[in-house]
Amino acid sequence: MSCWETIADYGLRSLGIGERLLPREGFTLCQQVTLIGSGMLWNIYFGICALVTGFGLATAVAMGKASNNRVLRKLSEWFIFIFRGSPLFIQFFFAYFLFLSLKQATGMFAAFSSAWAGALVVLFLNTAAYSGEIFYGALLSVPKGDIEAADAYGMSGWPRFRRIVWPTMLRLAWPAYTNEAIFLFHATTLVFFSGFPALQQKGDALYYASYFADKTFNPFIPYPILAGYFILLTLVIVGIFGLINRHLNRHLPQDARPKLRVRPNLLR
Amino acid sequence: MQWFACYLTTGKHMGFYVSFGTVLLLLAITAPTALAFGFAAAGAARSAIAPLRWIGKTYIAIVRGVPDIAFFLFFVIALDQAFEWMRHKVKCADWDQPIRQGNDFVVCAAAKLPLGNSPQWMHETYGFFLAVLTFSIVFGAFAGNVLFGAMRAVPHAQLETAAAYGMSRRQVFWRILVPQMWVFALPGLSNLWMVLIKATPLLFLLGVEDIVYWARELGGAKTPRFTDYPHDDWRMWYFLALLIFYLAFTRVSEVVLTRLMTRLTHGQATTGGEAQRKAAT
């Protein structure tokens, strides 16, 4: 079987399209690269969806934590504390079993006991908490002069937030937010190891990598392939976020623009 | 109520409570080991000898960019096979068959780790040992990165002054650099400690019977046929308990580390130290 056939068979296997049976013996390098790459689709799906939805909630949480309203502030602080203070792995487990019992009780949450929706909810809340804390830190370092200037121009409330505070906050938070994004993509590998079932062996990249490692007793091939994919993904994220960073800082003089520095990514 | 108290004190629940000890033991062993690994790596990355510097820098750099859980899964098998391979080379020198036969990894019986006839607790201890080593290697790289940064943050003029006083490289390192770097390293290291706490549930993936294993085991629905204490699916509540355990643990660590930071910045020529001085006057 040539490599092209393998790609045709297994390229979209993680979505359930193509050959049903996973290879059982005589594993070729091509099969491993194709299947692990096919699993990356899930990592990208979880990462992008959680990032996009989490961004909105993160802004709201940051505003809540900085607000003068006691109830809103406490609520945001507790939200951030709960999701940042506990392991994502345990959050996945808890959410899965929570959705499972809700499903039995009401039947309304059927979709959430499968990975594509349930894990996405957890990742969404989790990244909202982490980025909320980052945005809050940036919100506190918005220069006083900017706000005073906005006041002097007669801006207040929503226009001041939208045109002065928010863009500056984003600009200041962007390097840290880039790391959070990389972090999030790495965290997506936990999904199929934490209760959420991989139905019909439709799993993510790490799921297939560990499948091959278990079958061949040889970790030296699948895991480096996985590592290669993730380094590639990280480079793409850094590239895209770098472009946005340039856009956010386009009004600043050339030498005052902060450079994106990628810090090490720790798991959560 | 009586029933519930009895339920929580069954023999299996004792295993569950002991596994909290396993987690704490892992933290107690891993933290200093990882710090030592990190210190060695940071020292190597600053070394004047090029190959040593390369090794240090590669070790620090390699853990970036790849999900850590992949490293955990990788190292457990890789270390196990490396140990068995080394023992195989030493103990069975006259073995002529290849070690990788198709999909199998075959070493002679004397090189098996632990030996096939050793008791159950040996197997468990060996599994735990592999997990600790894996955690130490991964977190050692993170700690190495933090310490490397901290070493660079020590004012360079001080090192030059020490050299001007006639200290050798070794003396400058041990007497000037190392004592001063800790205050710069502490924020990074305390963050790392938090991350390490939150990484402990991954023990489950390494095949150790830890709290996640027991929570899944005990919480699952039980029928009256097999046990005196039947119940529905309670796994949700068990994981809620774990969630609260971790929240409390990270909270306590946070408070302790903040206190430690306040104490260490006292009298330092940093922004934090300056703020303390201003507050005092």
Side-chain angles (χ1 to χ4, degrees):
Chain A
M1 197 157 83
S2 78
C3 194
W4 286 117
E5 287 171 37
T6 310
I7 292 177
D9 281 348
Y10 290 120
L12 294 172
R13 175 63 180 78
S14 61
L15 307 178
I17 302 169
E19 186 68 31
R20 203 179 140 75
L21 282 176
L22 291 186
R24 295 199 169 273
E25 50 194 2
F27 304 93
T28 62
L29 193 63
C30 178
Q31 281 173 339
Q32 306 204 7
V33 172
T34 312
L35 257 179
I36 294 173
S38 152
M40 285 302 286
L41 292 175
W42 277 111
N43 296 99
I44 293 169
Y45 159 78
F46 282 127
I48 288 178
C49 290
L51 210 57
V52 170
T53 51
F55 182 81
L57 185 61
T59 313
V61 167
M63 291 305 293
K65 192 168 174 183
S67 92
N68 291 323
N69 187 332
R70 212 184 128 76
V71 178
L72 275 182
R73 198 173 62 234
K74 282 286 158 208
L75 216 62
S76 312
E77 279 175 1
W78 272 97
F79 175 75
I80 292 179
F81 170 62
I82 286 176
F83 281 94
R84 289 187 73 215
S86 61
L88 178 66
F89 198 50
I90 303 281
Q91 289 167 22
F92 273 134
F93 269 116
F94 174 66
Y96 175 64
F97 293 122
L98 175 72
F99 289 138
L100 216 58
S101 13
L102 284 177
K103 183 181 165 187
Q104 276 157 7
T106 61
M108 253 171 57
F109 290 86
F112 287 102
S113 62
S114 55
W116 69 267
L120 188 59
V121 169
V122 178
L123 283 169
F124 154 64
L125 293 173
N126 192 281
T127 187
Y130 276 86
S131 353
E133 183 69 23
I134 293 172
F135 288 165
Y136 170 71
L139 205 58
L140 291 190
S141 25
V142 172
K144 211 165 83 180
D146 288 17
I147 312 273
E148 281 168 1
D151 285 341
Y153 271 99
M155 282 184 179
S156 65
W158 176 245
R160 188 180 73 176
F161 173 73
R162 194 178 61 83
R163 302 186 59 170
I164 309 293
V165 178
W166 194 61
T168 312
M169 177 195 91
L170 271 190
R171 189 167 67 76
L172 293 175
W174 206 255
Y177 189 60
T178 309
N179 290 321
E180 161 59 24
I182 298 171
F183 211 45
L184 175 70
F185 274 92
H186 289 185
T188 56
T189 49
L190 279 174
V191 170
F192 289 103
F193 286 88
S194 58
F196 287 102
L199 290 173
Q200 296 161 356
Q201 297 181 313
K202 290 184 275 190
D204 76 330
L206 188 64
Y207 175 83
Y208 288 123
S210 79
Y211 171 84
F212 283 120
D214 283 351
K215 288 276 184 251
T216 59
F217 289 107
N218 183 358
F220 298 97
I221 295 172
Y223 289 123
I225 294 175
L226 177 81
Y229 274 120
F230 265 97
I231 288 169
L232 221 62
L233 183 64
T234 307
L235 290 178
V236 170
I237 297 168
V238 170
I240 294 174
F241 275 70
L243 285 180
I244 300 176
N245 189 43
R246 216 164 67 186
H247 181 77
L248 286 171
N249 289 302
R250 65 195 182 283
H251 59 290
L252 292 180
Q254 198 72 42
D255 53 345
R257 293 182 188 174
K259 281 270 185 311
L260 264 192
R261 267 195 72 207
V262 178
R263 305 289 308 155
N265 309 288
L266 310 175
L267 76 173
R268 47 180 94 178
Chain B
M1 205 59 228
Q2 176 83 40
W3 177 89
F4 198 68
C6 285
Y7 171 77
L8 284 179
T9 48
T10 57
K12 278 195 161 184
H13 271 81
M14 292 306 146
F16 179 54
Y17 302 136
V18 167
S19 65
F20 281 93
T22 311
V23 169
L24 295 180
L25 186 67
L26 173 89
L27 282 171
I29 302 176
T30 307
T33 323
L35 199 60
F37 275 40
F39 191 77
R46 286 179 65 90
S47 161
I49 309 159
L52 206 59
R53 194 165 62 231
W54 294 333
I55 293 175
K57 288 204 165 162
T58 318
Y59 172 55
I60 292 175
I62 204 148
V63 191
R64 299 185 187 187
V66 180
D68 317 70
I69 173 184
F71 276 101
F72 285 128
L73 295 181
F74 170 77
F75 273 122
V76 165
I77 313 182
L79 282 174
D80 187 31
Q81 292 189 353
F83 288 145
E84 290 198 340
W85 180 78
M86 280 190 288
R87 281 168 61 95
H88 179 83
K89 283 284 168 202
V90 174
K91 296 205 169 184
C92 315
D94 50 349
W95 188 271
D96 54 354
Q97 286 163 318
I99 289 182
R100 289 204 182 280
Q101 300 176 356
N103 289 337
D104 284 327
F105 182 82
V106 185
V107 291
C108 63
K112 281 256 184 294
L113 256 182
L115 292 172
N117 55 9
S118 52
Q120 175 67 19
W121 68 267
M122 281 281 281
H123 285 266
E124 281 174 14
T125 312
Y126 179 67
F128 184 71
F129 165 73
L130 276 185
V132 166
L133 201 55
T134 307
F135 266 76
S136 301
I137 289 174
V138 173
F139 278 88
F142 294 151
N145 188 43
V146 169
L147 292 179
F148 185 65
M151 285 178 183
R152 292 216 304 203
V154 173
H156 203 253
Q158 298 202 8
L159 306 184
E160 283 167 5
T161 311
Y165 269 95
M167 286 189 181
S168 66
R169 279 185 69 98
R170 178 187 295 259
Q171 281 174 326
V172 171
F173 182 77
W174 285 110
R175 297 196 187 166
I176 310 293
L177 189 64
V178 173
Q180 292 205 66
M181 72 176 190
W182 295 110
V183 70
F184 298 104
L186 195 67
L189 288 181
S190 51
N191 185 29
L192 211 56
W193 169 251
M194 297 299 202
V195 175
L196 181 60
I197 293 176
K198 287 187 266 171
T200 48
L202 298 181
L203 266 181
F204 170 66
L205 296 180
L206 310 187
V208 177
E209 291 186 1
D210 75 329
I211 43 184
V212 177
Y213 168 86
W214 282 112
R216 268 165 62 109
E217 192 79 351
L218 294 169
K222 306 266 193 312
T223 55
R225 262 183 68 196
F226 297 110
T227 168
D228 291 337
Y229 300 101
H231 60 83
D232 297 336
D233 191 344
W234 280 358
R235 283 176 291 189
M236 186 180 122
W237 304 111
Y238 275 90
F239 279 103
L240 186 64
L242 290 191
L243 210 66
I244 291 167
F245 165 71
Y246 276 108
L247 281 177
F249 199 3
T250 46
R251 184 78 209 156
V252 168
S253 308
E254 212 171 74
V255 171
V256 170
L257 287 169
T258 316
R259 286 220 179 134
L260 189 65
M261 189 68 199
T262 322
R263 177 160 297 182
L264 273 185
T265 45
H266 189 76
Q268 288 279 348
T270 55
T271 330
E274 185 66 12
Q276 270 187 18
R277 193 182 63 80
K278 282 215 177 110
T281 52

